[in-house]
Amino acid sequence: MAWVVLVVSGVLEAVWAAALDASRGFSRLWPSTLFLVALAASMAGLAYAMRSIPIGTGYAIWVGIGAVVTALYGMVVQNEPATAARLLCLALIVAGVVGLKFLH
């Protein structure tokens, strides 16, 4: 269960990052509200998962998931460049996250 919560929390990290961008410096109510809710849920999930997953593994996986999902969001939704080099770097992050999971 902790691993599922950790993955969901990592995705919520991407949600709060996107909402932070959309809030335009907290000047828009609904994106700012989404940011706060997603941030709180993401942190609560990370805290729950770290009850049974070591901090180094849990935090690295949480950040990795958040970084990859946020970068993909930027490429798909905000038309950021999706170059081969960027995609390769994201694949390396995914490989690291998967490796940490299997080495746990």
Side-chain angles (χ1 to χ4, degrees), residues 4-44:
V4 172
V5 171
L6 184 63
V7 170
V8 170
S9 296
V11 172
L12 285 171
E13 183 187 3
V15 171
W16 68 251
L20 180 61
D21 180 55
S23 77
R24 295 195 178 109
F26 299 116
S27 65
R28 298 175 65 211
L29 177 62
W30 294 116
S32 298
T33 303
L34 177 59
F35 164 78
L36 291 172
V37 170
L39 177 66
S42 180
M43 292 294 169

